[in-house]
Amino acid sequence: WFSNLPDEVKIHTPRIFSSDFFKERTFYKMEKILAPSLREIYLFLDSTPETWSGIFNSMFETLEVMEKYGHKNKFMESVIDKTRSRVQNINIPIENMLVNDFINDLEYAINAEELRRPSLMHGDFCFSNLLYDFNSSSIKMIDPRGELFGDHYYEVAKMTHSVLYDYDFVDAELYVQDGGEFKLYNNGKWDIKNLFIDVLEDKYSKEEIRYIKLLTASLFLSMIPLHSHNENNQKLYYKIFKEIYDSVEKGNYFGNIWITRQT
């Protein structure tokens, strides 16, 4: 993946100094980037809109460059297959009819030709895999999924699940259980969320935002079996999935308990 990127995308990745390819394993020497991840910045370091305006600009500019080199591919079909497969391995109580309806809606949306934006793809374009250099105001991508081509909207969904739906707080177990409810330690992030909503509404139509939210919901649903080590994480992911899907069904794109749009 690193070796086959065009130069204007490679500047957003660590340099590869050398590599050797063997049948058993691949070895490579890579530049060490002395910059924090977006997860570290978001959870612990900086919640100012000024910083995050620069970060969002860098993220979307990178995606725009990657989209220039996109080719038609079948990656999104694999998202449907992945979601169906992983749902079979969910070991917490779920509403099967709701999940089946969601997968049908997801498949219908993915098969819509007008919602295809082929792109070079990182594949896991989320906070933990993006480092941010404050001096140059640019991101560096690490730990790609591996496929070279995918879809622009999938990358934006990965951003959305980190910014709007607090994936990183849940994954880092930054929450407390109060009776039957969970409270996330996410105070102070509303300005960042609102800033991201403004960016989405500026760049995408309502139909595109609906699609991005469906993809985001699929991410939370498909993550549930991957977190069998923590049932609370699983319950939270399922709760977030339901809230996103419910808001899509009601046409209320950003109005649910996980996003409080403040004015």
Side-chain angles (χ1 to χ4, degrees):
W1 188 85
F2 288 104
S3 300
N4 287 283
L5 297 174
D7 289 346
E8 61 180 328
V9 178
K10 279 186 178 179
I11 63 173
H12 293 292
T13 65
R15 287 176 292 173
I16 304 295
F17 297 117
S18 62
S19 59
D20 289 298
F21 302 95
F22 300 98
K23 185 175 181 180
E24 295 82 12
R25 295 185 66 187
T26 295
F27 299 88
Y28 55 88
K29 292 183 179 180
M30 174 184 286
E31 175 187 17
K32 182 175 183 179
I33 305 296
L34 299 176
S37 70
L38 294 186
R39 172 181 281 202
E40 292 167 320
I41 298 171
Y42 190 63
L43 296 186
F44 307 117
L45 299 180
D46 196 327
S47 295
T48 60
E50 294 79 13
T51 292
W52 283 94
S53 178
I55 290 173
F56 293 151
N57 284 339
S58 182
M59 294 174 79
F60 279 103
E61 286 172 3
T62 302
L63 292 184
E64 288 170 8
V65 172
M66 294 172 73
E67 192 174 2
K68 287 166 49 179
Y69 297 93
H71 290 285
K72 189 174 181 180
N73 61 83
K74 294 185 177 297
F75 172 76
M76 293 309 297
E77 284 82 351
S78 73
V79 172
I80 301 170
D81 295 337
K82 176 191 74 174
T83 306
R84 280 204 178 100
S85 174
R86 289 191 180 173
V87 163
Q88 303 305 313
N89 296 314
I90 293 177
N91 59 4
I92 63 171
I94 61 173
E95 300 161 64
N96 291 318
M97 184 175 294
L98 175 71
V99 170
N100 289 335
D101 287 345
F102 167 76
I103 293 175
N104 289 335
D105 285 345
L106 178 68
E107 183 174 16
Y108 182 84
I110 284 176
N111 288 332
E113 286 297 324
E114 64 271 19
L115 293 173
R116 292 296 179 100
R117 287 178 63 170
S119 176
L120 281 179
M121 183 185 71
H122 176 277
D124 202 5
F125 199 74
C126 60
F127 281 175
S128 58
N129 293 331
L130 302 173
L131 312 180
Y132 187 68
D133 185 338
F134 282 89
N135 293 322
S136 62
S137 299
S138 64
I139 62 169
K140 296 284 188 178
M141 298 180 284
I142 61 171
D143 199 16
R145 178 185 171 107
E147 296 97 331
L148 197 58
F149 296 107
D151 193 272
H152 171 83
Y153 294 118
Y154 187 82
E155 304 284 69
V156 179
K158 281 285 185 175
M159 295 171 63
T160 304
H161 96 312
S162 281
V163 183
L164 296 186
Y165 295 105
D166 292 327
Y167 163 73
D168 298 273
F169 283 95
V170 179
D171 186 51
E173 301 178 19
L174 293 175
Y175 56 80
V176 62
Q177 187 170 6
D178 182 12
E181 295 295 321
F182 294 94
K183 296 182 179 180
L184 305 183
Y185 295 116
N186 61 353
N187 286 345
K189 306 302 179 185
W190 303 116
D191 286 343
I192 301 173
K193 294 176 188 292
N194 285 324
L195 177 64
F196 188 73
I197 290 171
D198 288 339
V199 174
L200 291 182
E201 291 180 334
D202 180 62
K203 290 181 175 293
Y204 304 103
S205 67
K206 285 188 175 181
E207 186 60 28
E208 288 175 301
I209 291 173
R210 179 184 185 277
Y211 182 48
I212 291 166
K213 288 195 68 174
L214 281 173
L215 294 175
T216 306
S218 77
L219 295 176
F220 282 101
L221 185 63
S222 63
M223 277 188 290
I224 294 171
L226 304 183
H227 284 251
S228 58
H229 62 282
N230 188 319
E231 186 175 323
N232 286 336
N233 281 17
Q234 293 180 304
K235 290 177 179 178
L236 275 166
Y237 290 147
Y238 184 58
K239 182 179 179 68
I240 297 170
F241 154 74
K242 289 201 300 180
E243 293 293 339
I244 300 172
Y245 186 41
D246 181 65
S247 71
V248 170
E249 288 290 280
K250 293 178 179 176
N252 186 10
Y253 294 112
F254 297 115
N256 58 58
I257 64 169
W258 295 95
I259 304 175
T260 302
R261 188 71 189 270
Q262 296 184 344
T263 59

